[in-house]
Amino acid sequence: LGLTRTLTAAQAEMANRWVNEWGFSAAMLQHAQTRTVEKCDKTNLNYMDKILEGWYGEGIRKPEQIPQLLDEDMPQQAITSAFRKYRK
């Protein structure tokens, strides 16, 4: 993820869940990070967790399954509601 600091215990637990429980590849993590940086202007692991949680819940496991136009596919109100607490 290109972080320059050590993960906290909670962040390490999140990363472990992404890879070992949900089975996401490095490519999927990169796509989630890219979308996070596009929205937050930085890597926000809580925001990224919500993206990956959504993909996991929808059965998205491969990069080619990721909706290419996420913001156009979802009404802005749904996006804002889903990520409101992570934009603070």
Side-chain angles (χ1 to χ4, degrees):
L1 298 175
L3 299 174
T4 57
R5 60 179 173 75
T6 303
L7 296 178
T8 66
Q11 291 169 334
E13 188 176 312
M14 265 193 287
N16 181 61
R17 181 176 57 246
W18 301 338
V19 175
N20 296 317
E21 290 181 34
W22 294 348
F24 284 119
S25 66
M28 290 296 287
L29 298 181
Q30 184 61 50
H31 280 283
Q33 182 184 24
T34 298
R35 288 182 183 234
T36 299
V37 171
E38 287 172 355
K39 287 293 185 182
C40 301
D41 293 324
K42 64 180 181 175
T43 298
N44 178 321
L45 297 181
N46 290 321
Y47 192 97
M48 191 170 154
D49 185 56
K50 289 301 171 188
I51 290 172
L52 291 167
E53 181 178 27
W55 290 348
Y56 181 76
E58 293 178 26
I60 296 170
R61 300 294 185 278
K62 299 177 183 176
E64 58 270 14
Q65 295 173 305
I66 299 170
Q68 294 302 310
L69 301 172
L70 179 64
D71 290 349
E72 292 179 21
D73 293 343
M74 292 178 64
Q76 186 60 41
Q77 182 179 4
I79 295 169
T80 302
S81 175
F83 301 112
R84 181 176 295 132
K85 69 179 183 176
Y86 299 106
R87 290 187 173 199
K88 293 180 181 179

Coordinates of all heavy atoms in Angstrom, one line a residue:
L1 N 0.8 -1.2 0.0 CA 0.0 0.0 0.0 C 0.9 1.3 0.0 O 0.3 2.3 -0.1 CB -0.9 0.0 1.2 CG -2.0 -1.1 1.3 CD1 -2.7 -1.1 2.6 CD2 -2.9 -1.1 0.1
G2 N 2.1 1.1 0.1 CA 3.0 2.2 0.1 C 3.0 3.1 1.3 O 3.4 4.3 1.2
L3 N 2.6 2.6 2.4 CA 2.6 3.4 3.6 C 4.0 3.5 4.2 O 4.8 2.6 4.1 CB 1.6 2.7 4.7 CG 0.2 2.6 4.3 CD1 -0.6 1.8 5.3 CD2 -0.5 3.9 4.1
T4 N 4.2 4.7 4.8 CA 5.6 4.9 5.3 C 5.6 4.8 6.9 O 6.6 5.1 7.5 CB 6.0 6.4 5.0 OG1 5.1 7.3 5.5 CG2 6.2 6.5 3.5
R5 N 4.6 4.2 7.4 CA 4.5 4.0 8.9 C 4.0 2.6 9.1 O 3.5 1.9 8.3 CB 3.6 5.0 9.5 CG 2.2 4.9 9.0 CD 1.2 5.9 9.6 NE -0.1 5.9 9.0 CZ -1.0 5.0 9.2 NH1 -0.8 4.0 10.0 NH2 -2.1 5.1 8.6
T6 N 4.2 2.2 10.4 CA 3.8 0.9 10.8 C 2.3 0.9 11.0 O 1.8 1.9 11.6 CB 4.5 0.5 12.1 OG1 5.9 0.5 11.9 CG2 4.1 -0.9 12.6
L7 N 1.6 -0.1 10.7 CA 0.2 -0.2 10.9 C -0.1 -0.4 12.4 O 0.6 -1.0 13.1 CB -0.4 -1.4 10.1 CG -0.4 -1.4 8.6 CD1 -1.0 -2.7 8.1 CD2 -1.1 -0.2 8.1
T8 N -1.2 0.2 12.8 CA -1.7 -0.1 14.2 C -2.2 -1.5 14.2 O -2.5 -2.1 13.2 CB -2.8 0.9 14.6 OG1 -4.0 0.6 13.8 CG2 -2.4 2.4 14.4
A9 N -2.5 -2.0 15.4 CA -3.1 -3.3 15.6 C -4.4 -3.4 14.8 O -4.7 -4.4 14.1 CB -3.2 -3.7 17.0
A10 N -5.2 -2.4 14.9 CA -6.5 -2.5 14.3 C -6.4 -2.5 12.7 O -7.1 -3.2 12.0 CB -7.4 -1.3 14.7
Q11 N -5.4 -1.7 12.2 CA -5.2 -1.6 10.8 C -4.6 -2.9 10.3 O -5.0 -3.4 9.2 CB -4.3 -0.4 10.5 CG -4.9 0.9 10.7 CD -3.9 2.0 10.6 OE1 -2.7 1.9 10.8 NE2 -4.4 3.2 10.2
A12 N -3.7 -3.5 11.1 CA -3.2 -4.8 10.7 C -4.3 -5.9 10.6 O -4.3 -6.8 9.8 CB -2.0 -5.2 11.6
E13 N -5.2 -5.8 11.6 CA -6.3 -6.7 11.6 C -7.2 -6.6 10.3 O -7.6 -7.5 9.8 CB -7.2 -6.5 12.9 CG -8.2 -7.5 13.1 CD -9.0 -7.3 14.4 OE1 -8.3 -7.1 15.4 OE2 -10.2 -7.3 14.4
M14 N -7.4 -5.3 10.0 CA -8.2 -5.0 8.7 C -7.5 -5.7 7.5 O -8.1 -6.3 6.7 CB -8.3 -3.5 8.5 CG -9.6 -2.9 9.0 SD -9.8 -1.2 8.3 CE -8.6 -0.3 9.2
A15 N -6.2 -5.4 7.4 CA -5.4 -5.9 6.3 C -5.4 -7.4 6.2 O -5.6 -8.0 5.2 CB -4.0 -5.4 6.3
N16 N -5.3 -8.0 7.4 CA -5.4 -9.5 7.5 C -6.8 -10.0 7.0 O -6.8 -11.0 6.3 CB -5.2 -9.9 8.9 CG -5.2 -11.4 9.1 OD1 -4.4 -12.1 8.5 ND2 -6.1 -11.9 9.9
R17 N -7.8 -9.3 7.4 CA -9.2 -9.7 6.9 C -9.3 -9.6 5.4 O -9.8 -10.5 4.8 CB -10.2 -8.8 7.6 CG -11.6 -9.2 7.2 CD -12.7 -8.4 8.0 NE -12.6 -7.0 7.9 CZ -12.2 -6.1 8.8 NH1 -12.0 -6.6 10.1 NH2 -12.1 -4.8 8.6
W18 N -8.8 -8.5 4.8 CA -8.9 -8.3 3.4 C -8.2 -9.5 2.6 O -8.8 -10.0 1.7 CB -8.2 -7.0 3.0 CG -8.7 -5.8 3.6 CD1 -9.9 -5.6 4.1 CD2 -8.0 -4.6 3.7 NE1 -10.0 -4.3 4.6 CE2 -8.9 -3.6 4.3 CE3 -6.7 -4.1 3.4 CZ2 -8.5 -2.3 4.6 CZ3 -6.3 -2.8 3.6 CH2 -7.2 -1.9 4.3
V19 N -7.0 -9.9 3.1 CA -6.3 -10.9 2.4 C -6.6 -12.3 2.8 O -6.9 -13.2 1.9 CB -4.8 -10.7 2.6 CG1 -3.9 -11.8 1.9 CG2 -4.4 -9.3 2.0
N20 N -6.7 -12.6 4.1 CA -6.8 -14.0 4.5 C -8.3 -14.4 4.7 O -8.5 -15.6 4.5 CB -6.0 -14.2 5.8 CG -4.5 -14.0 5.6 OD1 -4.0 -14.5 4.6 ND2 -3.9 -13.3 6.5
E21 N -9.1 -13.5 5.1 CA -10.6 -13.9 5.2 C -11.3 -13.7 3.9 O -12.1 -14.5 3.5 CB -11.2 -13.1 6.4 CG -10.7 -13.5 7.8 CD -11.4 -12.7 8.9 OE1 -12.6 -12.4 8.7 OE2 -10.7 -12.5 9.9
W22 N -11.2 -12.5 3.3 CA -12.0 -12.2 2.2 C -11.3 -12.6 0.9 O -11.9 -12.7 -0.2 CB -12.3 -10.7 2.1 CG -13.2 -10.2 3.2 CD1 -13.9 -11.0 4.1 CD2 -13.4 -8.9 3.6 NE1 -14.6 -10.3 5.0 CE2 -14.3 -8.9 4.7 CE3 -13.0 -7.7 3.2 CZ2 -14.8 -7.8 5.4 CZ3 -13.5 -6.5 3.8 CH2 -14.4 -6.6 4.9
G23 N -10.0 -12.9 0.9 CA -9.2 -13.4 -0.2 C -8.9 -12.4 -1.3 O -8.7 -12.8 -2.5
F24 N -8.8 -11.2 -1.0 CA -8.5 -10.2 -2.0 C -7.0 -10.2 -2.4 O -6.1 -10.4 -1.5 CB -8.8 -8.7 -1.5 CG -10.3 -8.4 -1.6 CD1 -11.0 -8.1 -0.4 CD2 -11.0 -8.5 -2.7 CE1 -12.3 -7.8 -0.4 CE2 -12.4 -8.2 -2.8 CZ -13.0 -7.9 -1.6
S25 N -6.7 -10.1 -3.7 CA -5.4 -10.1 -4.2 C -4.8 -8.7 -4.0 O -5.5 -7.7 -3.7 CB -5.4 -10.4 -5.7 OG -6.1 -9.4 -6.4
A26 N -3.5 -8.6 -4.3 CA -2.8 -7.3 -4.2 C -3.4 -6.3 -5.3 O -3.5 -5.1 -5.0 CB -1.3 -7.5 -4.5
A27 N -3.8 -6.9 -6.4 CA -4.4 -6.0 -7.5 C -5.7 -5.4 -7.0 O -6.0 -4.2 -7.2 CB -4.7 -6.8 -8.7
M28 N -6.5 -6.2 -6.2 CA -7.8 -5.7 -5.7 C -7.5 -4.6 -4.7 O -8.2 -3.6 -4.6 CB -8.6 -6.8 -5.1 CG -9.2 -7.7 -6.2 SD -10.4 -6.9 -7.3 CE -11.8 -6.7 -6.2
L29 N -6.5 -4.8 -3.8 CA -6.2 -3.8 -2.8 C -5.7 -2.5 -3.5 O -6.0 -1.4 -3.0 CB -5.1 -4.4 -1.9 CG -5.4 -5.6 -1.1 CD1 -4.3 -6.0 -0.2 CD2 -6.7 -5.4 -0.2
Q30 N -5.0 -2.7 -4.6 CA -4.5 -1.5 -5.3 C -5.7 -0.7 -5.9 O -5.7 0.5 -5.8 CB -3.5 -1.9 -6.4 CG -2.9 -0.7 -7.1 CD -2.1 0.2 -6.2 OE1 -1.3 -0.2 -5.5 NE2 -2.4 1.5 -6.3
H31 N -6.6 -1.4 -6.4 CA -7.8 -0.7 -7.0 C -8.6 0.0 -5.9 O -9.0 1.1 -6.1 CB -8.8 -1.7 -7.7 CG -8.3 -2.1 -9.0 ND1 -8.5 -1.3 -10.1 CD2 -7.7 -3.2 -9.5 CE1 -8.0 -1.9 -11.2 NE2 -7.5 -3.1 -10.8
A32 N -8.7 -0.7 -4.7 CA -9.4 0.0 -3.6 C -8.6 1.2 -3.1 O -9.2 2.3 -2.8 CB -9.6 -1.0 -2.5
Q33 N -7.3 1.1 -3.1 CA -6.5 2.2 -2.6 C -6.6 3.4 -3.6 O -6.7 4.5 -3.2 CB -5.1 1.8 -2.5 CG -4.2 3.0 -2.0 CD -2.7 2.6 -1.9 OE1 -2.2 1.7 -2.6 NE2 -2.0 3.3 -1.0
T34 N -6.6 3.1 -4.9 CA -6.7 4.1 -5.9 C -8.0 4.9 -5.8 O -8.1 6.1 -5.8 CB -6.6 3.5 -7.3 OG1 -5.3 2.9 -7.5 CG2 -6.9 4.6 -8.4
R35 N -9.1 4.2 -5.6 CA -10.4 4.8 -5.4 C -10.5 5.6 -4.1 O -11.1 6.7 -4.0 CB -11.6 3.8 -5.4 CG -11.8 3.2 -6.8 CD -12.9 2.3 -6.8 NE -13.0 1.7 -8.2 CZ -14.1 1.8 -8.9 NH1 -15.2 2.3 -8.4 NH2 -14.1 1.3 -10.1
T36 N -9.8 5.1 -3.1 CA -9.7 5.9 -1.8 C -9.0 7.2 -2.0 O -9.5 8.2 -1.5 CB -9.0 5.0 -0.7 OG1 -9.8 3.8 -0.5 CG2 -8.9 5.7 0.6
V37 N -7.8 7.1 -2.6 CA -7.0 8.3 -2.8 C -7.8 9.3 -3.7 O -7.8 10.5 -3.5 CB -5.7 8.0 -3.4 CG1 -4.9 9.3 -3.9 CG2 -4.8 7.2 -2.4
E38 N -8.5 8.8 -4.7 CA -9.4 9.7 -5.6 C -10.4 10.5 -4.7 O -10.7 11.6 -5.0 CB -10.1 8.9 -6.7 CG -9.1 8.4 -7.7 CD -9.8 7.5 -8.7 OE1 -11.0 7.1 -8.5 OE2 -9.1 7.1 -9.7
K39 N -11.0 9.8 -3.7 CA -12.0 10.5 -2.9 C -11.4 11.3 -1.7 O -12.0 12.3 -1.3 CB -13.0 9.4 -2.4 CG -13.9 8.9 -3.4 CD -14.8 9.9 -3.9 CE -15.8 9.4 -4.9 NZ -16.7 10.4 -5.3
C40 N -10.4 10.7 -1.1 CA -9.9 11.3 0.2 C -8.6 12.1 0.0 O -8.1 12.7 0.9 CB -9.6 10.2 1.2 SG -11.1 9.3 1.6
D41 N -8.0 12.0 -1.2 CA -6.7 12.7 -1.5 C -5.6 12.1 -0.6 O -4.5 12.8 -0.4 CB -6.8 14.2 -1.3 CG -7.6 14.9 -2.3 OD1 -7.6 14.4 -3.5 OD2 -8.3 15.9 -2.0
K42 N -5.8 10.9 -0.1 CA -4.7 10.2 0.7 C -5.2 8.8 0.9 O -6.4 8.5 0.7 CB -4.5 10.9 2.0 CG -5.7 10.9 3.0 CD -5.3 11.6 4.3 CE -6.6 11.5 5.2 NZ -6.3 12.0 6.5
T43 N -4.3 7.9 1.4 CA -4.7 6.6 1.7 C -5.4 6.6 3.1 O -4.8 7.0 4.1 CB -3.5 5.6 1.8 OG1 -3.0 5.6 0.5 CG2 -3.9 4.2 2.2
N44 N -6.7 6.3 3.1 CA -7.4 6.2 4.4 C -7.9 4.8 4.5 O -8.8 4.3 3.8 CB -8.6 7.2 4.3 CG -9.5 7.2 5.5 OD1 -9.8 6.1 6.1 ND2 -10.0 8.3 5.9
L45 N -7.3 4.0 5.4 CA -7.6 2.6 5.5 C -9.0 2.3 5.9 O -9.6 1.3 5.5 CB -6.6 1.9 6.4 CG -5.1 2.0 6.0 CD1 -4.2 1.2 6.9 CD2 -5.0 1.4 4.6
N46 N -9.6 3.2 6.7 CA -11.0 2.9 7.1 C -11.9 3.1 5.9 O -12.9 2.3 5.7 CB -11.5 3.9 8.2 CG -10.8 3.6 9.5 OD1 -10.7 2.4 9.9 ND2 -10.4 4.6 10.2
Y47 N -11.7 4.1 5.0 CA -12.5 4.3 3.8 C -12.2 3.1 2.9 O -13.2 2.5 2.3 CB -12.0 5.6 3.1 CG -12.9 6.0 2.0 CD1 -13.9 7.0 2.2 CD2 -12.8 5.6 0.7 CE1 -14.7 7.4 1.2 CE2 -13.6 6.0 -0.3 CZ -14.5 6.9 -0.1 OH -15.3 7.4 -1.1
M48 N -11.0 2.7 2.7 CA -10.6 1.5 1.9 C -11.3 0.3 2.4 O -11.8 -0.6 1.6 CB -9.1 1.4 1.9 CG -8.6 0.4 0.9 SD -6.8 0.5 0.9 CE -6.4 -1.1 0.3
D49 N -11.4 0.1 3.7 CA -12.1 -1.1 4.3 C -13.5 -1.1 3.9 O -14.1 -2.2 3.5 CB -12.0 -1.0 5.8 CG -12.5 -2.3 6.5 OD1 -12.1 -3.4 6.1 OD2 -13.4 -2.1 7.3
K50 N -14.2 0.0 3.8 CA -15.6 0.1 3.4 C -15.8 -0.3 1.9 O -16.7 -0.9 1.6 CB -16.2 1.4 3.7 CG -16.4 1.6 5.2 CD -17.3 0.5 5.8 CE -17.4 0.5 7.3 NZ -18.1 -0.6 7.8
I51 N -14.8 0.2 1.1 CA -14.9 -0.2 -0.3 C -14.8 -1.7 -0.4 O -15.6 -2.4 -1.1 CB -13.8 0.5 -1.1 CG1 -14.0 2.0 -1.2 CG2 -13.6 -0.1 -2.5 CD1 -12.9 2.8 -1.8
L52 N -13.8 -2.3 0.2 CA -13.5 -3.7 0.1 C -14.7 -4.5 0.7 O -15.1 -5.6 0.2 CB -12.2 -4.1 0.8 CG -11.0 -3.6 0.0 CD1 -9.7 -3.7 0.9 CD2 -10.8 -4.3 -1.3
E53 N -15.2 -4.0 1.8 CA -16.4 -4.7 2.5 C -17.5 -4.7 1.5 O -18.2 -5.8 1.4 CB -16.8 -4.0 3.7 CG -17.9 -4.6 4.5 CD -18.2 -3.9 5.8 OE1 -18.0 -2.7 5.9 OE2 -18.8 -4.5 6.7
G54 N -17.8 -3.6 0.8 CA -18.8 -3.6 -0.2 C -18.6 -4.6 -1.3 O -19.5 -5.3 -1.8
W55 N -17.4 -4.6 -1.9 CA -17.1 -5.5 -2.9 C -17.2 -6.9 -2.5 O -17.8 -7.8 -3.2 CB -15.6 -5.3 -3.4 CG -15.5 -4.0 -4.2 CD1 -16.4 -3.2 -4.7 CD2 -14.2 -3.4 -4.6 NE1 -15.9 -2.1 -5.3 CE2 -14.5 -2.2 -5.3 CE3 -12.9 -3.7 -4.4 CZ2 -13.5 -1.4 -5.8 CZ3 -11.9 -2.9 -4.9 CH2 -12.2 -1.7 -5.6
Y56 N -16.8 -7.2 -1.3 CA -16.9 -8.6 -0.7 C -18.4 -9.0 -0.6 O -18.8 -10.1 -1.1 CB -16.2 -8.7 0.6 CG -16.3 -10.0 1.2 CD1 -15.5 -11.1 0.8 CD2 -17.2 -10.3 2.3 CE1 -15.5 -12.3 1.4 CE2 -17.2 -11.6 2.8 CZ -16.4 -12.6 2.4 OH -16.5 -13.8 2.9
G57 N -19.2 -8.1 -0.1 CA -20.6 -8.4 0.0 C -21.3 -8.6 -1.3 O -22.3 -9.3 -1.4
E58 N -20.8 -7.9 -2.4 CA -21.4 -8.0 -3.7 C -20.8 -9.2 -4.5 O -21.2 -9.4 -5.7 CB -21.2 -6.7 -4.4 CG -22.0 -5.6 -3.8 CD -21.8 -4.3 -4.6 OE1 -21.5 -4.3 -5.8 OE2 -22.0 -3.2 -3.9
G59 N -19.8 -9.9 -3.9 CA -19.2 -11.0 -4.6 C -18.2 -10.6 -5.6 O -17.8 -11.4 -6.5
I60 N -17.7 -9.4 -5.5 CA -16.6 -8.9 -6.5 C -15.3 -9.3 -5.9 O -14.9 -8.9 -4.8 CB -16.7 -7.3 -6.6 CG1 -18.0 -6.9 -7.2 CG2 -15.5 -6.8 -7.4 CD1 -18.3 -5.4 -7.2
R61 N -14.6 -10.2 -6.7 CA -13.3 -10.7 -6.3 C -12.2 -10.5 -7.2 O -11.0 -10.7 -6.9 CB -13.4 -12.2 -6.1 CG -14.5 -12.7 -5.1 CD -14.1 -12.3 -3.6 NE -15.0 -12.8 -2.7 CZ -16.2 -12.2 -2.4 NH1 -16.6 -11.2 -3.0 NH2 -17.0 -12.8 -1.5
K62 N -12.5 -10.0 -8.4 CA -11.5 -9.8 -9.5 C -11.6 -8.4 -10.0 O -12.7 -7.9 -10.1 CB -11.6 -10.8 -10.6 CG -11.5 -12.3 -10.2 CD -11.8 -13.2 -11.3 CE -11.7 -14.6 -10.9 NZ -12.0 -15.6 -11.9
P63 N -10.4 -7.8 -10.4 CA -10.5 -6.5 -10.9 C -11.5 -6.2 -12.0 O -12.1 -5.2 -12.1 CB -9.0 -6.2 -11.4 CG -8.2 -7.1 -10.5 CD -9.1 -8.3 -10.3
E64 N -11.6 -7.2 -12.9 CA -12.5 -7.0 -14.0 C -14.0 -7.0 -13.6 O -14.9 -6.6 -14.4 CB -12.3 -8.1 -15.1 CG -12.5 -9.5 -14.7 CD -11.2 -10.2 -14.2 OE1 -10.2 -9.5 -13.9 OE2 -11.2 -11.4 -14.0
Q65 N -14.3 -7.4 -12.4 CA -15.7 -7.3 -11.9 C -16.0 -5.9 -11.2 O -17.1 -5.7 -10.9 CB -15.9 -8.4 -10.8 CG -15.8 -9.8 -11.3 CD -15.8 -10.8 -10.2 OE1 -15.0 -10.8 -9.3 NE2 -16.8 -11.7 -10.3
I66 N -15.0 -5.1 -11.0 CA -15.2 -3.8 -10.3 C -15.9 -2.9 -11.3 O -15.5 -2.7 -12.4 CB -13.8 -3.2 -9.9 CG1 -13.1 -4.1 -9.0 CG2 -14.1 -1.8 -9.3 CD1 -11.6 -3.6 -8.7
P67 N -17.0 -2.3 -10.8 CA -17.7 -1.3 -11.6 C -16.8 -0.2 -12.0 O -16.1 0.4 -11.1 CB -18.8 -0.8 -10.7 CG -19.0 -1.9 -9.7 CD -17.7 -2.5 -9.5
Q68 N -16.7 0.1 -13.2 CA -15.7 1.1 -13.7 C -16.1 2.5 -13.4 O -15.3 3.4 -13.2 CB -15.5 1.0 -15.2 CG -14.9 -0.3 -15.6 CD -13.5 -0.5 -15.0 OE1 -12.7 0.3 -15.0 NE2 -13.3 -1.7 -14.3
L69 N -17.4 2.7 -13.3 CA -17.9 4.1 -13.0 C -18.7 4.1 -11.7 O -19.9 4.3 -11.7 CB -18.7 4.6 -14.2 CG -18.0 4.7 -15.5 CD1 -19.0 5.0 -16.6 CD2 -16.9 5.7 -15.5
L70 N -18.0 3.8 -10.6 CA -18.7 3.6 -9.3 C -19.6 4.8 -9.0 O -20.7 4.6 -8.7 CB -17.7 3.5 -8.2 CG -18.2 3.3 -6.8 CD1 -19.0 2.0 -6.7 CD2 -17.1 3.3 -5.8
D71 N -19.1 6.0 -9.2 CA -19.9 7.2 -8.8 C -21.1 7.4 -9.7 O -22.1 7.9 -9.3 CB -19.0 8.5 -8.9 CG -18.0 8.5 -7.7 OD1 -18.1 7.6 -6.8 OD2 -17.1 9.3 -7.8
E72 N -21.0 6.9 -11.0 CA -22.1 7.1 -11.9 C -23.1 5.9 -11.7 O -24.3 6.0 -12.0 CB -21.6 7.1 -13.3 CG -20.9 8.4 -13.6 CD -20.4 8.5 -15.0 OE1 -20.9 7.8 -15.9 OE2 -19.5 9.3 -15.3
D73 N -22.6 4.8 -11.2 CA -23.5 3.6 -10.9 C -24.3 3.8 -9.7 O -25.3 3.2 -9.5 CB -22.6 2.4 -10.8 CG -21.9 2.0 -12.1 OD1 -22.3 2.5 -13.1 OD2 -21.0 1.2 -12.0
M74 N -23.8 4.6 -8.7 CA -24.5 4.8 -7.5 C -25.0 6.2 -7.3 O -24.2 7.1 -7.6 CB -23.6 4.5 -6.3 CG -23.2 3.0 -6.2 SD -22.1 2.8 -4.8 CE -23.1 3.2 -3.4
P75 N -26.2 6.5 -6.8 CA -26.6 7.9 -6.6 C -25.6 8.5 -5.6 O -25.1 7.8 -4.6 CB -28.0 7.7 -6.0 CG -28.4 6.4 -6.3 CD -27.2 5.5 -6.5
Q76 N -25.3 9.8 -5.7 CA -24.4 10.4 -4.8 C -24.8 10.3 -3.3 O -24.0 10.2 -2.4 CB -24.2 11.9 -5.2 CG -23.2 12.6 -4.4 CD -21.8 12.1 -4.5 OE1 -21.4 11.7 -5.6 NE2 -21.1 11.9 -3.4
Q77 N -26.1 10.3 -3.1 CA -26.6 10.2 -1.7 C -26.2 8.9 -1.1 O -25.8 8.8 0.1 CB -28.1 10.4 -1.7 CG -28.7 10.3 -0.3 CD -30.2 10.4 -0.3 OE1 -30.8 10.5 -1.4 NE2 -30.8 10.5 0.8
A78 N -26.2 7.8 -1.9 CA -25.8 6.5 -1.4 C -24.3 6.5 -1.1 O -23.9 5.9 0.0 CB -26.2 5.4 -2.4
I79 N -23.5 7.1 -1.9 CA -22.1 7.1 -1.7 C -21.8 7.9 -0.4 O -21.1 7.5 0.5 CB -21.4 7.7 -2.9 CG1 -21.5 6.9 -4.1 CG2 -19.9 8.0 -2.5 CD1 -21.1 7.5 -5.4
T80 N -22.4 9.1 -0.3 CA -22.2 9.9 0.9 C -22.6 9.2 2.1 O -21.9 9.3 3.1 CB -23.0 11.3 0.7 OG1 -22.5 11.9 -0.5 CG2 -22.7 12.2 1.9
S81 N -23.8 8.6 2.1 CA -24.3 7.9 3.3 C -23.3 6.8 3.7 O -23.0 6.6 4.9 CB -25.7 7.4 3.0 OG -26.1 6.6 4.1
A82 N -22.9 6.0 2.7 CA -22.1 4.8 3.0 C -20.7 5.2 3.6 O -20.2 4.5 4.4 CB -21.8 4.0 1.7
F83 N -20.2 6.3 3.2 CA -18.8 6.7 3.7 C -18.7 7.9 4.6 O -17.7 8.4 4.9 CB -17.9 6.9 2.4 CG -17.8 5.7 1.6 CD1 -18.4 5.6 0.3 CD2 -17.2 4.5 2.1 CE1 -18.3 4.5 -0.4 CE2 -17.1 3.4 1.3 CZ -17.7 3.4 0.0
R84 N -19.9 8.5 5.0 CA -19.9 9.7 5.8 C -19.0 9.7 6.9 O -18.2 10.7 7.1 CB -21.3 10.0 6.2 CG -21.4 11.3 7.0 CD -22.9 11.6 7.4 NE -23.6 11.9 6.2 CZ -24.8 11.3 5.9 NH1 -25.4 10.5 6.8 NH2 -25.4 11.6 4.8
K85 N -19.0 8.7 7.8 CA -18.2 8.7 9.0 C -16.7 8.6 8.7 O -15.9 8.9 9.6 CB -18.6 7.7 10.0 CG -18.3 6.2 9.6 CD -18.8 5.3 10.7 CE -18.4 3.9 10.4 NZ -18.8 3.0 11.4
Y86 N -16.3 8.2 7.5 CA -14.9 8.1 7.2 C -14.3 9.3 6.4 O -13.2 9.4 6.1 CB -14.6 6.8 6.3 CG -15.0 5.6 7.1 CD1 -16.2 4.9 6.9 CD2 -14.3 5.3 8.2 CE1 -16.6 3.9 7.7 CE2 -14.6 4.2 9.0 CZ -15.8 3.5 8.7 OH -16.1 2.4 9.5
R87 N -15.2 10.3 6.2 CA -14.7 11.5 5.5 C -14.3 12.6 6.5 O -13.9 13.7 6.1 CB -15.8 12.0 4.6 CG -16.0 11.2 3.4 CD -16.9 11.8 2.5 NE -17.0 11.0 1.3 CZ -17.4 11.5 0.1 NH1 -17.9 12.7 0.0 NH2 -17.4 10.7 -0.9
K88 N -14.5 12.3 7.8 CA -14.2 13.4 8.8 C -12.7 13.6 8.9 O -11.9 12.9 8.7 CB -14.7 12.9 10.2 CG -16.2 12.8 10.2 CD -16.7 12.4 11.5 CE -18.2 12.3 11.5 NZ -18.7 11.8 12.7

